[in-house]
Amino acid sequence: MNKRTQQRLERYEQRYADLTRRVSGLGFIRSGTIARRKTACGTPSCRCHADPPRLHGPYNVWTAKVDGKTVTRQMPDGEADLYRAWIANDRELRATVAEMREISTKAQELLIEEERQARQGR
């Protein structure tokens, strides 16, 4: 392997190791989103059906796909704060894994080219 190729491969390996450490430092993960929503209830005489309406809330609402179905759940502020942190960790994990895939592809291309050249006797 020539020196330039070796240096590039070492840079990829170092960046990959950095990303691996980043992943190991993440906390719990959770998919989905948290939104603050106001809602109307089902009681026709309630203030939320007045003109102008005064909706209930705002409420924290978590929404995610679970087993192929959309799940929605209201939660108190403290719980919503935990979910926000877990969702942020999940997004960080996904972005990090995407970058790891890109680096792996580049390193694999270098290694495959090196293998081809070795078979052809350079």
Side-chain angles (χ1 to χ4, degrees):
M1 185 176 297
N2 70 40
K3 186 172 180 155
R4 184 172 178 266
T5 301
Q6 183 64 36
Q7 289 173 339
R8 287 176 62 196
L9 188 57
E10 287 173 3
R11 281 195 309 269
Y12 293 148
E13 289 170 343
Q14 180 60 48
R15 182 63 184 145
Y16 195 89
D18 292 344
L19 294 170
T20 301
R21 283 189 291 279
R22 182 191 302 175
V23 168
S24 69
L26 287 175
F28 293 115
I29 60 173
R30 186 69 189 203
S31 62
T33 59
I34 296 284
R36 302 267 300 162
R37 295 205 175 113
K38 291 186 173 192
T39 62
C41 69
T43 305
S45 61
C46 183
R47 65 186 173 96
C48 64
H49 295 285
D51 188 20
R54 292 186 0 235
L55 300 176
H56 301 280
Y59 301 107
N60 297 303
V61 179
W62 169 72
T63 304
K65 286 280 191 180
V66 177
D67 295 328
K69 296 184 179 182
T70 301
V71 175
T72 301
R73 193 176 129 226
Q74 284 188 13
M75 59 185 59
D77 289 341
E79 196 173 323
D81 291 341
L82 289 171
Y83 269 68
R84 281 186 189 94
W86 298 335
I87 290 167
N89 288 345
D90 184 62
R91 290 180 180 151
E92 171 101 10
L93 175 64
R94 291 170 190 258
T96 303
V97 169
E99 189 173 346
M100 292 172 85
R101 284 189 179 117
E102 289 176 27
I103 291 168
S104 292
T105 299
K106 290 176 182 178
Q108 290 162 4
E109 289 169 356
L110 282 178
L111 293 169
I112 288 170
E113 183 59 32
E114 185 67 27
E115 174 63 25
R116 285 182 184 146
Q117 289 178 5
R119 277 195 319 253
Q120 294 173 356
R122 288 193 174 193

